[in-house]
Amino acid sequence: MSLHVVRPGPLATLQDRGRPGLAHLGVPRAGPLDAPAADLANRLVGNDPGAALVEATFGGLELRTDAGAWVAVTGAPVPVAVDGSPRGHACAQWLPAGATLRLGVPTAGVRCYVAVAGGVDVAPVLGSRSTDTLAWVGPPRLVAGTTLPVGLAAGRPAPHDTPRPPEPGPLRVHAGPRADWFAAGALAALCRAPYVVGEASDRVGMRLVGPVPQRVRAEELPSEGMVLGAVQVPPSGQPVVLLADHPPTGGYPVLAVVEEADLWQCAQLRPGDEVRFRRA
């Protein structure tokens, strides 16, 4: 069977567990920004955790199927409809042959995940079906008319006793490798003050607006390896939290590193939302 993209919305990509371990080749890891939501969608339709699914930014996605299939929509709370009839969120739904699944605009958050039993079965690139929006490694972004082949269902839908994503809270941080480039107490100050998500945030990084961490070293820093969740401070002084499509290297000092288990929250923070940090 196949899914056919009628409308992609503002941005729709395919994601699986990504490409960790290839940073030494200059390849970003990619993968879903909200990993718990993606895992939940796959569990609900009986897929393995690594099955490829659709990540839709700000909704607007429409998919039509040419055969009946189980689907699930998770992540940002969003109106879900099948052929115009309202359906549930974060539960397994039967999508009849020829039916159209439509996502509205999320009432909160940013990114939704659509899993189909069997997973999206496009050809992997460097071992993954994830789309990397920095270098555009992997499948291209979805556009109207894209056809997505679906694999064989691996198991039955599991709507009951399915672990749910954690509750949101402050982003826990550890001291970064260049914390000594900042004034004493800079990390504590980062954790005291609220920041606001900037308009330019994307899958590469969450850009913040707020107090500027005070530097004590002003020289240039040669490019060095960057890890997922690094909070680097560019010359503007406004911190950036590096997310799934971040470059493998960067030339700005890293004050802190966000606990990986908390990074899913960055997927659902909208421009203008408040962000707080606390020491891990």
Side-chain angles (χ1 to χ4, degrees):
M1 66 164 290
S2 298
L3 293 175
H4 305 275
V5 180
V6 180
R7 291 175 53 200
L11 174 66
T13 62
L14 296 181
Q15 302 295 335
D16 57 14
R17 287 295 179 89
R19 303 179 182 84
L22 296 181
H24 65 294
L25 301 177
V27 179
R29 61 189 295 152
L33 288 196
D34 188 341
D39 288 351
L40 174 61
N42 273 325
R43 285 196 301 269
L44 286 168
V45 296
N47 287 345
D48 293 332
L53 76 176
V54 178
E55 179 183 273
T57 302
F58 285 117
L61 177 70
E62 292 185 24
L63 300 172
R64 188 178 66 252
T65 180
D66 57 16
W70 288 100
V71 297
V73 179
T74 62
V78 64
V80 180
V82 174
D83 286 344
S85 297
R87 295 294 181 91
H89 181 267
C91 58
Q93 303 280 347
W94 178 251
L95 190 63
T100 298
L101 174 73
R102 180 177 293 108
L103 305 188
V105 177
T107 56
V110 178
R111 293 172 177 87
C112 308
Y113 295 86
V114 181
V116 56
V120 178
D121 195 22
V122 298
V125 177
L126 296 177
S128 171
R129 296 178 172 88
S130 288
T131 302
D132 156 36
T133 63
L134 180 65
W136 293 106
V137 175
R141 63 188 293 172
L142 303 186
V143 298
T146 299
T147 296
L148 302 174
V150 176
L152 296 175
R156 294 177 177 273
H160 302 295
D161 300 324
T162 300
R164 301 286 153 159
E167 292 296 319
L171 301 178
R172 294 170 292 172
V173 292
H174 305 268
R178 298 297 177 181
D180 59 341
W181 281 51
F182 297 86
L187 183 56
L190 181 79
C191 295
R192 278 197 306 270
Y195 285 82
V196 171
V197 178
E199 294 284 344
S201 298
D202 54 18
R203 283 184 48 87
V204 176
M206 183 174 69
R207 301 176 185 276
L208 302 177
V209 179
V212 174
Q214 183 182 353
R215 284 180 58 166
V216 294
R217 296 182 60 175
E219 66 264 34
E220 294 294 323
L221 178 69
S223 289
E224 57 186 2
M226 292 287 123
V227 298
L228 182 66
V231 182
Q232 64 174 6
V233 183
S236 68
Q238 297 300 302
V240 180
V241 181
L242 298 185
L243 302 179
D245 291 353
H246 74 86
T249 61
Y252 305 132
V254 174
L255 171 61
V257 178
V258 176
E259 182 77 34
E260 187 169 0
D262 291 351
L263 285 171
W264 68 271
Q265 298 182 60
C266 301
Q268 305 300 355
L269 289 167
R270 295 184 172 191
D273 284 351
E274 183 179 280
V275 179
R276 285 188 175 271
F277 299 96
R278 72 173 176 86
R279 287 296 300 266

